Every structure is written in C-alpha cells, then in structure tokens.
Amino acid sequence: MRGRPILSLAAATGLLFALALPPPSATARDLAVQIEEVRRLVLEKNFVTALEDLKFIAQQIQDLRLAEVQPLFPEPPPGWETAPAGRTSREGESWSRRLVVRKTYLPESGIGQVEIIYDFFSPLIPAISISLNPAYLAGDPPAEAIEFPDAPGRLRFNPDTGEGELVLILDNRILVTVLGRGLPNRSALRDFARLVSYPVLKAFTPP
C-alpha cells in the first residue's frame, strides 16, 4: 500500500511564495534617503505614490534582514551544493516582524532535494505544537515525535515517494523545517537537521 503524500507547511497554507533574491543592494543610508523622499511626497499630498514607495522600502528592509540570516544556514555536506538563501513571503508580510527564509540543497547526483526553512515569529507554531501531542501523532502513522537539543518536533516520511518533512520548534518563536524530496530514507532528513547550529539560531533575533 502506498503511503499518503507528505504535505509541507508552505503548501498547506497555500499562500506562501518563494522569492529567490540576490544580495540586497540597498543600504540603511539608501533607505534613509528614500524615506525622506516619502516624507516629501506626503507633505505634497501625493499619497498614492508615497504608499507605493513605502511598499518598496519595506521589501528592501526585509531583504536586509534576509542578509543577516543567510550565515545561519549550514554549509552543504559532501556531495551536495546549494545557492544563496531566498526569502519567502506573502501579501502584507513585508510590514510584519515575521521572517521566513529558505535554502535549497541539491545533490551532485541530481537525484533528490532538501530545503531548510527558518520561520522567525511564525504564527504556525501553536498549530504545530498541537500536532506534537501523542494522541495526535497516534492518528498520523507516518509521523513520529523527535527531539533535538531544546527543540521538540516531528518527522513524517513516505518511503514510496521519498518525500518527507521534519519540523522543530525552537525557543517557541522559530520554526525550523527540513523538507525532502527523492530521498532514500528518513535518516537523510535527520542528517540535514543535525547540520543546523541550534544554539546560534536560538540566540539570534532578526533585526
């Protein structure tokens, strides 16, 4: 019997989209100049243009935050390669403190894929916490409870498809997700999760 497919957190929300972003070109000084321009537009009652400029400034600020998180991702293990991290967002989140950053890891063999996602100040944490309840896990046979240093979580893996998801809650404010496709076994998810430096991540707060 084929196991049921694994549904990632991002897919479950149906609202998130990935932005593969280059390193931010704007600096804090650049943004200060742009904000002063918005102030001028407001004084001139050019409100529509001011709002559009503010949206662009908010996106650039989030890109600066992304640059701060990028070093927290682990280097790829032997036989794997990766690309710069990208920010994940949805409509309106440029204005919030939430920051979702993901990095994709690809094997040199070309078979399989792993993504590590850091979701700071995630609104999904209460729902994930409920899913860690033993009674809940009992009704979800592919899932198992796991425990990393100071980070409870769960792991789901479908051996028929090689798809899996490992989710950890760190410091009750950071959701760490490891998504896998085309993997040989669930141990591959654990191995990638072990690459993350949890003490460093726990001590970090996105500026």
Side-chain angles (χ1 to χ4, degrees):
M1 178 183 296
R2 294 179 62 87
R4 57 181 174 178
I6 302 295
L7 183 65
S8 71
L9 291 176
T13 63
L15 296 173
L16 299 181
F17 58 92
L19 300 176
L21 298 173
S25 57
T27 65
R29 187 179 298 274
D30 296 330
L31 293 178
V33 173
Q34 294 178 43
I35 291 171
E36 187 60 32
E37 174 63 14
V38 169
R39 178 176 178 276
R40 182 187 65 79
L41 290 169
V42 170
L43 291 175
E44 294 176 356
K45 296 187 177 182
N46 191 344
F47 300 129
V48 173
T49 303
L51 281 173
E52 291 301 320
D53 286 357
L54 275 176
K55 290 178 183 178
F56 183 59
I57 290 171
Q59 292 172 1
Q60 292 180 90
I61 291 174
Q62 294 288 25
D63 293 345
L64 290 174
R65 299 178 78 205
L66 163 63
E68 296 293 323
V69 176
Q70 180 112 258
L72 301 180
F73 284 95
E75 292 296 318
W80 290 72
E81 56 189 20
T82 188
R87 179 166 55 84
T88 300
S89 185
R90 67 179 179 180
E91 187 67 26
E93 282 195 346
S94 292
W95 306 100
S96 76
R97 68 173 182 169
R98 184 186 185 189
L99 182 64
V100 187
V101 184
R102 65 174 64 211
K103 194 163 191 174
T104 301
Y105 297 80
L106 300 170
E108 294 174 357
S109 65
I111 301 174
Q113 175 178 309
V114 170
E115 282 187 305
I116 297 179
I117 305 168
Y118 299 150
D119 187 350
F120 296 90
F121 306 111
S122 174
L124 302 176
I125 287 178
I128 297 299
S129 297
I130 293 174
S131 75
L132 303 183
N133 185 287
Y136 186 97
L137 289 171
D140 187 9
E144 65 172 292
I146 57 174
E147 186 81 29
F148 275 67
D150 300 321
R154 61 170 167 80
L155 186 155
R156 301 182 75 230
F157 184 76
N158 185 331
D160 295 320
T161 64
E163 295 181 338
E165 176 186 78
L166 185 153
V167 183
L168 298 166
I169 299 174
L170 185 62
D171 199 30
N172 207 36
R173 64 185 179 89
I174 307 170
L175 202 60
V176 179
T177 304
V178 182
L179 299 177
R181 289 191 288 274
L183 300 180
N185 50 56
R186 64 180 58 214
S187 295
L189 288 171
R190 290 180 180 271
D191 290 343
F192 265 90
R194 291 189 182 101
L195 297 176
V196 176
S197 177
Y198 294 97
V200 173
L201 189 61
K202 183 178 180 179
F204 178 82
T205 300

